[in-house]
mmCIF file of all heavy atoms in Angstrom:
data_model
loop_
_atom_site.group_PDB
_atom_site.id
_atom_site.type_symbol
_atom_site.label_atom_id
_atom_site.label_comp_id
_atom_site.label_asym_id
_atom_site.label_seq_id
_atom_site.Cartn_x
_atom_site.Cartn_y
_atom_site.Cartn_z
ATOM 1 N N ASP A 1 0.843 -1.185 -0.004
ATOM 2 C CA ASP A 1 0.011 0.004 -0.010
ATOM 3 C C ASP A 1 0.875 1.229 -0.006
ATOM 4 O O ASP A 1 1.187 1.830 1.043
ATOM 5 C CB ASP A 1 -0.936 -0.009 1.219
ATOM 6 C CG ASP A 1 -2.064 1.010 1.103
ATOM 7 O OD1 ASP A 1 -1.889 1.961 0.302
ATOM 8 O OD2 ASP A 1 -3.092 0.827 1.747
ATOM 9 N N ARG A 2 1.284 1.662 -1.161
ATOM 10 C CA ARG A 2 2.186 2.831 -1.287
ATOM 11 C C ARG A 2 1.531 4.139 -0.854
ATOM 12 O O ARG A 2 2.191 4.978 -0.250
ATOM 13 C CB ARG A 2 2.648 2.924 -2.762
ATOM 14 C CG ARG A 2 3.616 4.041 -3.049
ATOM 15 C CD ARG A 2 5.011 3.714 -2.640
ATOM 16 N NE ARG A 2 5.973 4.705 -2.983
ATOM 17 C CZ ARG A 2 7.284 4.561 -2.877
ATOM 18 N NH1 ARG A 2 7.778 3.431 -2.421
ATOM 19 N NH2 ARG A 2 8.119 5.530 -3.253
ATOM 20 N N GLU A 3 0.291 4.334 -1.180
ATOM 21 C CA GLU A 3 -0.397 5.571 -0.807
ATOM 22 C C GLU A 3 -0.527 5.727 0.694
ATOM 23 O O GLU A 3 -0.395 6.816 1.232
ATOM 24 C CB GLU A 3 -1.746 5.666 -1.507
ATOM 25 C CG GLU A 3 -1.686 5.952 -2.967
ATOM 26 C CD GLU A 3 -0.860 7.202 -3.277
ATOM 27 O OE1 GLU A 3 -1.101 8.235 -2.658
ATOM 28 O OE2 GLU A 3 0.052 7.130 -4.158
ATOM 29 N N GLU A 4 -0.803 4.617 1.355
ATOM 30 C CA GLU A 4 -0.877 4.684 2.819
ATOM 31 C C GLU A 4 0.481 5.014 3.399
ATOM 32 O O GLU A 4 0.606 5.822 4.335
ATOM 33 C CB GLU A 4 -1.341 3.362 3.431
ATOM 34 C CG GLU A 4 -1.447 3.395 4.926
ATOM 35 C CD GLU A 4 -1.781 2.048 5.534
ATOM 36 O OE1 GLU A 4 -1.726 1.026 4.816
ATOM 37 O OE2 GLU A 4 -2.151 2.013 6.736
ATOM 38 N N ALA A 5 1.527 4.487 2.804
ATOM 39 C CA ALA A 5 2.908 4.769 3.275
ATOM 40 C C ALA A 5 3.203 6.267 3.116
ATOM 41 O O ALA A 5 3.801 6.866 4.012
ATOM 42 C CB ALA A 5 3.894 3.927 2.484
ATOM 43 N N ARG A 6 2.811 6.876 2.015
ATOM 44 C CA ARG A 6 3.043 8.281 1.782
ATOM 45 C C ARG A 6 2.303 9.146 2.786
ATOM 46 O O ARG A 6 2.825 10.148 3.326
ATOM 47 C CB ARG A 6 2.661 8.679 0.361
ATOM 48 C CG ARG A 6 3.521 8.031 -0.725
ATOM 49 C CD ARG A 6 3.129 8.502 -2.104
ATOM 50 N NE ARG A 6 3.573 9.917 -2.318
ATOM 51 C CZ ARG A 6 2.773 10.953 -2.343
ATOM 52 N NH1 ARG A 6 1.453 10.748 -2.182
ATOM 53 N NH2 ARG A 6 3.231 12.159 -2.504
ATOM 54 N N ARG A 7 1.067 8.782 3.034
ATOM 55 C CA ARG A 7 0.258 9.545 4.000
ATOM 56 C C ARG A 7 0.853 9.447 5.402
ATOM 57 O O ARG A 7 0.956 10.464 6.154
ATOM 58 C CB ARG A 7 -1.173 9.044 4.013
ATOM 59 C CG ARG A 7 -2.154 9.945 4.769
ATOM 60 C CD ARG A 7 -3.448 9.264 5.096
ATOM 61 N NE ARG A 7 -3.302 8.292 6.175
ATOM 62 C CZ ARG A 7 -3.523 6.993 6.018
ATOM 63 N NH1 ARG A 7 -3.849 6.478 4.842
ATOM 64 N NH2 ARG A 7 -3.364 6.156 7.034
ATOM 65 N N LEU A 8 1.254 8.251 5.794
ATOM 66 C CA LEU A 8 1.827 8.049 7.123
ATOM 67 C C LEU A 8 3.138 8.821 7.247
ATOM 68 O O LEU A 8 3.457 9.352 8.325
ATOM 69 C CB LEU A 8 2.020 6.556 7.397
ATOM 70 C CG LEU A 8 0.754 5.752 7.585
ATOM 71 C CD1 LEU A 8 1.111 4.248 7.604
ATOM 72 C CD2 LEU A 8 0.064 6.124 8.888
ATOM 73 N N ALA A 9 3.923 8.839 6.182
ATOM 74 C CA ALA A 9 5.205 9.536 6.232
ATOM 75 C C ALA A 9 4.976 11.052 6.431
ATOM 76 O O ALA A 9 5.669 11.687 7.266
ATOM 77 C CB ALA A 9 5.968 9.312 4.940
ATOM 78 N N GLY A 10 4.042 11.644 5.743
ATOM 79 C CA GLY A 10 3.777 13.063 5.885
ATOM 80 C C GLY A 10 3.278 13.422 7.285
ATOM 81 O O GLY A 10 3.725 14.387 7.922
ATOM 82 N N SER A 11 2.367 12.596 7.796
ATOM 83 C CA SER A 11 1.833 12.822 9.151
ATOM 84 C C SER A 11 2.908 12.678 10.194
ATOM 85 O O SER A 11 2.993 13.453 11.184
ATOM 86 C CB SER A 11 0.666 11.894 9.417
ATOM 87 O OG SER A 11 -0.407 12.072 8.522
ATOM 88 N N SER A 12 3.770 11.685 10.023
ATOM 89 C CA SER A 12 4.841 11.432 11.021
ATOM 90 C C SER A 12 5.826 12.584 11.072
ATOM 91 O O SER A 12 6.320 12.949 12.148
ATOM 92 C CB SER A 12 5.554 10.116 10.691
ATOM 93 O OG SER A 12 4.687 9.015 10.769
ATOM 94 N N LEU A 13 6.123 13.182 9.917
ATOM 95 C CA LEU A 13 7.051 14.292 9.908
ATOM 96 C C LEU A 13 6.447 15.522 10.648
ATOM 97 O O LEU A 13 7.183 16.249 11.326
ATOM 98 C CB LEU A 13 7.383 14.678 8.480
ATOM 99 C CG LEU A 13 8.411 13.773 7.780
ATOM 100 C CD1 LEU A 13 8.444 14.084 6.281
ATOM 101 C CD2 LEU A 13 9.809 13.993 8.383
ATOM 102 N N VAL A 14 5.152 15.711 10.519
ATOM 103 C CA VAL A 14 4.494 16.818 11.227
ATOM 104 C C VAL A 14 4.604 16.601 12.730
ATOM 105 O O VAL A 14 4.954 17.499 13.506
ATOM 106 C CB VAL A 14 3.033 16.946 10.782
ATOM 107 C CG1 VAL A 14 2.299 17.934 11.699
ATOM 108 C CG2 VAL A 14 2.953 17.406 9.349
ATOM 109 N N VAL A 15 4.309 15.361 13.171
ATOM 110 C CA VAL A 15 4.387 15.064 14.589
ATOM 111 C C VAL A 15 5.815 15.249 15.105
ATOM 112 O O VAL A 15 6.072 15.819 16.185
ATOM 113 C CB VAL A 15 3.897 13.633 14.863
ATOM 114 C CG1 VAL A 15 4.117 13.239 16.322
ATOM 115 C CG2 VAL A 15 2.423 13.511 14.508
ATOM 116 N N MET A 16 6.805 14.783 14.335
ATOM 117 C CA MET A 16 8.212 14.923 14.747
ATOM 118 C C MET A 16 8.584 16.385 14.871
ATOM 119 O O MET A 16 9.229 16.788 15.843
ATOM 120 C CB MET A 16 9.110 14.227 13.738
ATOM 121 C CG MET A 16 10.596 14.469 13.942
ATOM 122 S SD MET A 16 11.249 13.687 15.420
ATOM 123 C CE MET A 16 11.626 12.061 14.782
ATOM 124 N N LEU A 17 8.176 17.187 13.924
ATOM 125 C CA LEU A 17 8.514 18.605 13.928
ATOM 126 C C LEU A 17 7.966 19.289 15.178
ATOM 127 O O LEU A 17 8.667 20.041 15.881
ATOM 128 C CB LEU A 17 8.018 19.283 12.667
ATOM 129 C CG LEU A 17 8.268 20.793 12.549
ATOM 130 C CD1 LEU A 17 9.789 21.050 12.472
ATOM 131 C CD2 LEU A 17 7.594 21.342 11.298
ATOM 132 N N LEU A 18 6.688 19.055 15.467
ATOM 133 C CA LEU A 18 6.050 19.719 16.610
ATOM 134 C C LEU A 18 6.664 19.263 17.917
ATOM 135 O O LEU A 18 6.951 20.069 18.834
ATOM 136 C CB LEU A 18 4.570 19.428 16.584
ATOM 137 C CG LEU A 18 3.764 20.038 15.415
ATOM 138 C CD1 LEU A 18 2.319 19.594 15.455
ATOM 139 C CD2 LEU A 18 3.874 21.527 15.432
ATOM 140 N N ALA A 19 6.882 17.977 18.056
ATOM 141 C CA ALA A 19 7.414 17.426 19.331
ATOM 142 C C ALA A 19 8.854 17.889 19.578
ATOM 143 O O ALA A 19 9.200 18.315 20.685
ATOM 144 C CB ALA A 19 7.346 15.905 19.327
ATOM 145 N N SER A 20 9.690 17.801 18.557
ATOM 146 C CA SER A 20 11.097 18.176 18.731
ATOM 147 C C SER A 20 11.255 19.691 18.947
ATOM 148 O O SER A 20 12.116 20.120 19.702
ATOM 149 C CB SER A 20 11.917 17.719 17.537
ATOM 150 O OG SER A 20 11.429 18.254 16.329
ATOM 151 N N LEU A 21 10.431 20.484 18.303
ATOM 152 C CA LEU A 21 10.488 21.947 18.469
ATOM 153 C C LEU A 21 10.137 22.305 19.906
ATOM 154 O O LEU A 21 10.797 23.127 20.544
ATOM 155 C CB LEU A 21 9.541 22.612 17.498
ATOM 156 C CG LEU A 21 9.453 24.144 17.582
ATOM 157 C CD1 LEU A 21 10.807 24.748 17.201
ATOM 158 C CD2 LEU A 21 8.365 24.674 16.679
ATOM 159 N N THR A 22 9.085 21.654 20.443
ATOM 160 C CA THR A 22 8.655 21.946 21.815
ATOM 161 C C THR A 22 9.708 21.574 22.823
ATOM 162 O O THR A 22 10.071 22.362 23.694
ATOM 163 C CB THR A 22 7.359 21.181 22.118
ATOM 164 O OG1 THR A 22 6.321 21.587 21.212
ATOM 165 C CG2 THR A 22 6.889 21.471 23.550
ATOM 166 N N VAL A 23 10.269 20.374 22.719
ATOM 167 C CA VAL A 23 11.262 19.906 23.692
ATOM 168 C C VAL A 23 12.534 20.692 23.550
ATOM 169 O O VAL A 23 13.170 21.086 24.569
ATOM 170 C CB VAL A 23 11.513 18.384 23.513
ATOM 171 C CG1 VAL A 23 12.652 17.919 24.395
ATOM 172 C CG2 VAL A 23 10.254 17.576 23.836
ATOM 173 N N GLY A 24 12.998 20.949 22.341
ATOM 174 C CA GLY A 24 14.255 21.658 22.134
ATOM 175 C C GLY A 24 14.252 23.027 22.710
ATOM 176 O O GLY A 24 15.230 23.438 23.378
ATOM 177 N N ILE A 25 13.170 23.770 22.536
ATOM 178 C CA ILE A 25 13.109 25.125 23.064
ATOM 179 C C ILE A 25 12.867 25.142 24.578
ATOM 180 O O ILE A 25 13.491 25.943 25.286
ATOM 181 C CB ILE A 25 11.959 25.900 22.337
ATOM 182 C CG1 ILE A 25 12.339 26.115 20.889
ATOM 183 C CG2 ILE A 25 11.719 27.229 23.062
ATOM 184 C CD1 ILE A 25 11.296 26.819 20.066
ATOM 185 N N LEU A 26 12.044 24.258 25.102
ATOM 186 C CA LEU A 26 11.730 24.277 26.516
ATOM 187 C C LEU A 26 12.904 23.783 27.377
ATOM 188 O O LEU A 26 12.928 24.025 28.575
ATOM 189 C CB LEU A 26 10.495 23.401 26.794
ATOM 190 C CG LEU A 26 9.165 23.945 26.315
ATOM 191 C CD1 LEU A 26 8.035 22.989 26.663
ATOM 192 C CD2 LEU A 26 8.911 25.310 26.901
ATOM 193 N N THR A 27 13.860 23.101 26.750
ATOM 194 C CA THR A 27 15.033 22.659 27.535
ATOM 195 C C THR A 27 15.904 23.808 27.975
ATOM 196 O O THR A 27 16.462 23.788 29.094
ATOM 197 C CB THR A 27 15.893 21.690 26.681
ATOM 198 O OG1 THR A 27 15.106 20.542 26.316
ATOM 199 C CG2 THR A 27 17.120 21.226 27.440
ATOM 200 N N VAL A 28 16.010 24.854 27.181
ATOM 201 C CA VAL A 28 16.926 25.941 27.430
ATOM 202 C C VAL A 28 16.727 26.613 28.785
ATOM 203 O O VAL A 28 17.718 26.848 29.519
ATOM 204 C CB VAL A 28 16.925 26.983 26.266
ATOM 205 C CG1 VAL A 28 17.833 28.171 26.582
ATOM 206 C CG2 VAL A 28 17.353 26.303 24.967
ATOM 207 N N PRO A 29 15.491 27.023 29.164
ATOM 208 C CA PRO A 29 15.346 27.744 30.451
ATOM 209 C C PRO A 29 15.712 26.894 31.676
ATOM 210 O O PRO A 29 15.948 27.459 32.741
ATOM 211 C CB PRO A 29 13.829 28.076 30.472
ATOM 212 C CG PRO A 29 13.410 27.990 29.047
ATOM 213 C CD PRO A 29 14.213 26.936 28.445
ATOM 214 N N PHE A 30 15.770 25.573 31.503
ATOM 215 C CA PHE A 30 16.019 24.699 32.644
ATOM 216 C C PHE A 30 17.450 24.105 32.659
ATOM 217 O O PHE A 30 17.723 23.190 33.426
ATOM 218 C CB PHE A 30 14.995 23.550 32.661
ATOM 219 C CG PHE A 30 13.559 24.012 32.756
ATOM 220 C CD1 PHE A 30 12.783 24.106 31.640
ATOM 221 C CD2 PHE A 30 13.044 24.350 33.993
ATOM 222 C CE1 PHE A 30 11.459 24.559 31.735
ATOM 223 C CE2 PHE A 30 11.706 24.786 34.115
ATOM 224 C CZ PHE A 30 10.942 24.890 32.945
ATOM 225 N N LEU A 31 18.316 24.641 31.835
ATOM 226 C CA LEU A 31 19.646 24.094 31.746
ATOM 227 C C LEU A 31 20.426 24.205 33.039
ATOM 228 O O LEU A 31 21.117 23.275 33.443
ATOM 229 C CB LEU A 31 20.457 24.794 30.606
ATOM 230 C CG LEU A 31 20.047 24.410 29.182
ATOM 231 C CD1 LEU A 31 20.819 25.264 28.180
ATOM 232 C CD2 LEU A 31 20.328 22.921 28.935
ATOM 233 N N ASP A 32 20.336 25.351 33.723
ATOM 234 C CA ASP A 32 21.112 25.543 34.952
ATOM 235 C C ASP A 32 20.747 24.508 36.016
ATOM 236 O O ASP A 32 21.647 23.817 36.572
ATOM 237 C CB ASP A 32 20.873 26.956 35.490
ATOM 238 C CG ASP A 32 21.759 27.236 36.712
ATOM 239 O OD1 ASP A 32 22.924 27.556 36.540
ATOM 240 O OD2 ASP A 32 21.209 27.105 37.859
ATOM 241 N N PRO A 33 19.448 24.322 36.363
ATOM 242 C CA PRO A 33 19.142 23.291 37.370
ATOM 243 C C PRO A 33 19.449 21.854 36.918
ATOM 244 O O PRO A 33 19.844 21.017 37.720
ATOM 245 C CB PRO A 33 17.657 23.486 37.633
ATOM 246 C CG PRO A 33 17.125 24.222 36.467
ATOM 247 C CD PRO A 33 18.239 25.057 36.000
ATOM 248 N N ILE A 34 19.288 21.604 35.639
ATOM 249 C CA ILE A 34 19.547 20.259 35.139
ATOM 250 C C ILE A 34 21.030 19.904 35.247
ATOM 251 O O ILE A 34 21.422 18.834 35.716
ATOM 252 C CB ILE A 34 19.061 20.093 33.657
ATOM 253 C CG1 ILE A 34 17.540 20.155 33.568
ATOM 254 C CG2 ILE A 34 19.541 18.754 33.082
ATOM 255 C CD1 ILE A 34 17.029 20.189 32.158
ATOM 256 N N LEU A 35 21.879 20.848 34.803
ATOM 257 C CA LEU A 35 23.327 20.640 34.868
ATOM 258 C C LEU A 35 23.782 20.541 36.318
ATOM 259 O O LEU A 35 24.666 19.724 36.636
ATOM 260 C CB LEU A 35 24.062 21.748 34.147
ATOM 261 C CG LEU A 35 23.966 21.726 32.603
ATOM 262 C CD1 LEU A 35 24.429 23.049 32.022
ATOM 263 C CD2 LEU A 35 24.766 20.563 32.053
ATOM 264 N N SER A 36 23.197 21.323 37.202
ATOM 265 C CA SER A 36 23.552 21.233 38.640
ATOM 266 C C SER A 36 23.174 19.882 39.181
ATOM 267 O O SER A 36 23.958 19.298 39.967
ATOM 268 C CB SER A 36 22.855 22.357 39.406
ATOM 269 O OG SER A 36 23.304 23.636 38.985
ATOM 270 N N ALA A 37 22.030 19.369 38.795
ATOM 271 C CA ALA A 37 21.599 18.063 39.274
ATOM 272 C C ALA A 37 22.526 16.944 38.818
ATOM 273 O O ALA A 37 22.711 15.933 39.501
ATOM 274 C CB ALA A 37 20.182 17.774 38.820
ATOM 275 N N LEU A 38 23.130 17.114 37.625
ATOM 276 C CA LEU A 38 24.054 16.148 37.104
ATOM 277 C C LEU A 38 25.436 16.207 37.756
ATOM 278 O O LEU A 38 26.262 15.333 37.577
ATOM 279 C CB LEU A 38 24.203 16.291 35.579
ATOM 280 C CG LEU A 38 23.024 15.905 34.725
ATOM 281 C CD1 LEU A 38 23.250 16.251 33.262
ATOM 282 C CD2 LEU A 38 22.723 14.417 34.858
ATOM 283 N N GLY A 39 25.679 17.315 38.513
ATOM 284 C CA GLY A 39 26.936 17.452 39.197
ATOM 285 C C GLY A 39 27.924 18.437 38.579
ATOM 286 O O GLY A 39 29.081 18.555 39.036
#
């Protein structure tokens, strides 16, 4: 089912973009406490 594969690929890229953008940006404000916790 090639058409299903294409649809799933497009949807997956959207989910990846949104999730990684959120986590990547939200990590920055918490770098100081995270690094301190690691030692």
Side-chain angles (χ1 to χ4, degrees):
D1 195 337
R2 181 78 175 189
E3 286 307 310
E4 181 185 14
R6 295 183 72 253
R7 191 195 74 243
L8 289 171
S11 297
S12 297
L13 282 168
V14 171
V15 174
M16 172 68 86
L17 180 63
L18 294 175
S20 58
L21 180 64
T22 301
V23 173
I25 292 177
L26 289 181
T27 299
V28 176
F30 300 98
L31 286 175
D32 185 81
I34 293 173
L35 288 167
S36 296
L38 289 174

